[in-house]
Amino acid sequence: MCQACFEAATQSGAMHFCQCGTPETLAAMRRVEVDLSRRQMLGGMTSVVGMFAGFGLASKEAQAAGAGRPLLLTNLRFFDGTRLVLHDGIDILIRDGRIAALPARGQGPEDAEWIDCGGRTVVPGLIDTHWHTTLVAVSQIAAMTQDIGFVHLMAGREAGATLLRGFTTVRDVGGPSFGLKAAVDRGVVAGPRIFPAGAIISQTSGHGDFRLQNTLPMMPIDQPDYATKVGVSALADGVPEVLRRTREQLMKGASQIKIAAGGGVASKYDPLESLQFTEAEMSAAVDAARDWGTYVCAHVYTSPGIQRCIKAGVKSIEHGQLADEDTVRMMADNDIWWSIQPFLADEDANKYDDPKAIAAQKEVAEGTMRAFEWADKHKVNWAFGTDILYSGGASQGRQLAKLARFMTPLEALHRATGAAGALLALSGARAPYDGRLGVIEAGACADLLVIDGDTETSLDWLKEENNLRLIMKGGQLFKNSL
């Protein structure tokens, strides 16, 4: 119905008889639709996706734009996420959300939809292994006081922005991200794949205890605090409570468990050097996770805390910048993963007024430089993460680009692709997605970026989203400005 028909019908109840519904008009429209090529359709629909994804929303029609014939990316070089070289003379064939094959240039199937990359570089979709999907886009006060519906809506908008920065997968390590994950996976909201941990499991007075001192002591009749009620954190003291809270997160769908094993820079009540959870308590979380085929990661900075985590069976250290060299060697010997963030006390760092927090931030920044050096020296498995909180994720790409100060650009890119994908694989059967992530190989998930930039010499292209010319997740195009 045209606008004139609609207005006449709604205002007077009578139909305005133009030619919009005649058989001749409808037949002509069908002919026009048939004449539109699939290439034009892809271009138009992916523009729509880009518009909606910026708000965290994408229509089902736009999401389905990549369905149908297989796609062939051609005229490109690519970084496979693992080997520190660029491959040339090879195309990338995508079918049913996967990389189906890597045929020689020009040898792909004729029935495929060809996309000419113009000689640009293709890289795997980026992975952030330390992300908080529901805590990144709001202030700390808002996160702890506002209606949780508002927090989730803000998280949905930020999810679309995260995807448009080229991060097609994130490992969420604390917060109520299960609903957002479900919305993204169902195509209701545009965003990255999410590996959720659920609530941060913390001891009383630990890094995940967000209560104020005037609420103490907690009594048996007291209601849970806000952070506990909405799933930001879960307080547990003693082995039985740790088992209970761990199993609750697994029941909700956690792909890994996150515990707080030490203090934080900005924490008001838990000192940075404090040790949190006994080895027996940590082991309880590890046992419960292992029974479900997955693992525990731990927020911790210091050597004593890291060593306790290793003895308890924790598989991934989050932060760890204050580790001494013997502890780093211990991590390597025990095949521990290290999720390192470029905490450099620079323009992207959190701003503090408390002198203790400022001093702790400086100490962690100095430790960050050693962490990169010792991780390489002792061959520790490590992956890139950001841990951006309460400020919006605009610096996410810049944070990855900073790694090029400490290693070659391709080495840095590997830590946010192939290495990060290997860390995610620790979730085993609890991994929410089938197929390898962070690599370009036959059978892997078709999460790909086409970029303007030379990945062998610089990662500066990460600083501007316009340099991401094509963004694909699961074989679907969310941006195509080629």
Side-chain angles (χ1 to χ4, degrees):
M1 184 185 297
C2 71
Q3 183 68 22
C5 290
F6 177 78
E7 290 176 354
T10 54
Q11 292 173 9
S12 66
M15 180 63 72
H16 172 79
F17 290 102
C18 71
Q19 300 298 311
C20 68
T22 65
E24 293 81 6
T25 301
L26 295 176
M29 290 301 298
R30 284 194 293 270
R31 289 195 298 272
V32 171
E33 291 171 357
V34 169
D35 287 340
L36 289 173
S37 70
R38 184 169 182 275
R39 184 182 299 275
Q40 291 170 317
M41 191 67 160
L42 280 172
M45 292 307 293
T46 51
S47 295
V48 173
V49 172
M51 177 179 69
F52 280 102
F55 294 96
L57 304 173
S59 66
K60 292 182 179 178
E61 292 79 7
Q63 289 280 356
R69 287 190 291 165
L71 295 176
L72 185 75
L73 302 185
T74 187
N75 188 17
L76 55 87
R77 301 191 302 164
F78 74 87
F79 170 62
D80 66 16
T82 302
R83 288 168 288 182
L84 304 182
V85 295
L86 292 184
H87 304 273
D88 205 350
I90 301 173
D91 292 341
I92 303 174
L93 180 66
I94 295 102
R95 181 184 286 113
D96 298 328
R98 299 289 186 93
I99 298 173
L102 299 172
R105 182 171 296 169
Q107 299 302 307
E110 293 184 359
D111 67 333
E113 179 66 38
W114 291 42
I115 297 180
D116 188 336
C117 296
R120 295 179 177 86
T121 300
V122 180
V123 303
L126 304 175
I127 300 171
D128 190 329
T129 67
H130 194 112
W131 190 247
H132 297 276
T133 53
T134 51
L135 302 177
V136 62
V138 293
S139 69
Q140 186 171 9
I141 292 177
M144 298 303 163
T145 62
Q146 293 293 307
D147 184 275
I148 192 62
F150 169 77
V151 175
H152 285 311
L153 285 170
M154 295 295 288
R157 185 178 70 170
E158 183 64 33
T162 302
L163 183 60
L164 290 181
R165 290 191 291 268
F167 287 86
T168 55
T169 302
V170 297
R171 184 178 63 145
D172 189 288
V173 286
S177 62
F178 298 112
L180 178 59
K181 176 190 176 298
V184 170
D185 292 347
R186 295 173 188 177
V188 178
V189 173
R193 303 176 190 271
I194 298 174
F195 279 67
I200 303 167
I201 300 175
S202 169
Q203 69 173 42
T204 295
S205 78
H207 190 62
D209 189 344
F210 297 103
R211 297 173 299 164
L212 299 177
Q213 287 182 331
N214 62 7
T215 65
L216 304 180
M218 177 186 288
M219 304 302 290
I221 61 172
D222 289 343
Q223 291 294 312
D225 67 296
Y226 179 82
T228 299
K229 284 191 292 186
V230 301
V232 173
S233 61
L235 299 183
D237 294 293
V239 167
E241 277 301 302
V242 171
L243 286 172
R244 182 193 302 273
R245 300 310 176 199
T246 300
R247 289 166 176 165
E248 286 174 349
Q249 302 316 307
L250 292 168
M251 183 176 178
K252 288 182 175 182
S255 53
Q256 66 282 328
I257 296 297
K258 166 75 173 296
I259 66 172
V265 171
S267 304
K268 190 170 182 60
Y269 302 120
D270 63 315
L272 185 63
E273 71 279 4
S274 64
L275 298 180
Q276 299 174 14
F277 282 133
T278 65
E279 187 177 332
E281 289 172 318
M282 290 185 191
S283 295
V286 168
D287 289 343
R290 186 188 294 122
D291 286 346
W292 281 51
T294 187
Y295 70 100
V296 172
C297 62
H299 163 103
V300 62
Y301 282 98
T302 65
S303 293
I306 294 169
Q307 291 179 18
R308 182 179 291 184
C309 286
I310 294 172
K311 293 174 183 176
V314 170
K315 289 298 183 182
S316 176
I317 300 299
E318 310 299 310
H319 313 314
Q321 280 93 340
L322 301 185
D324 58 32
E325 191 167 7
D326 286 341
T327 301
V328 174
R329 190 180 294 109
M330 184 178 177
M331 292 169 65
D333 291 343
N334 287 273
D335 200 27
I336 303 300
W337 275 88
W338 196 356
S339 175
I340 308 178
Q341 301 72 43
F343 293 155
L344 299 172
D346 57 10
E347 66 279 0
D348 293 318
N350 293 328
K351 302 296 186 282
Y352 302 114
D353 296 323
D354 183 354
K356 289 184 178 180
I358 294 171
Q361 184 180 55
K362 181 180 179 182
E363 184 180 7
V364 168
E366 293 170 353
T368 297
M369 312 239 215
R370 294 192 302 269
F372 291 131
E373 176 187 349
W374 287 343
D376 179 66
K377 177 180 177 181
H378 297 290
K379 308 304 178 189
V380 179
N381 293 323
W382 72 273
F384 165 78
T386 57
D387 193 30
I388 300 171
L389 286 168
Y390 309 131
S391 60
S395 69
Q396 194 174 20
R398 294 199 305 271
Q399 302 278 14
L400 176 53
K402 292 174 188 178
L403 297 192
R405 304 177 192 176
F406 308 98
M407 61 205 73
T408 70
L410 287 181
E411 287 174 329
L413 198 56
H414 164 63
R415 299 301 172 179
T417 54
L423 171 53
L424 296 179
L426 292 183
S427 292
R430 299 284 74 76
Y433 309 99
D434 293 328
R436 288 193 67 188
L437 296 168
V439 295
I440 297 178
E441 64 177 33
C445 295
D447 297 356
L448 303 168
L449 309 177
V450 179
I451 67 166
D452 277 336
D454 185 353
T455 56
E456 291 180 299
T457 61
S458 173
L459 293 183
D460 286 346
W461 50 271
L462 283 162
K463 299 176 182 179
E464 295 290 339
E465 291 181 22
N466 289 338
N467 292 324
L468 304 180
R469 302 298 299 276
L470 180 147
I471 299 173
M472 176 185 292
K473 189 189 81 172
Q476 296 177 349
L477 293 171
F478 288 84
K479 178 180 180 180
N480 184 4
S481 62
L482 291 172

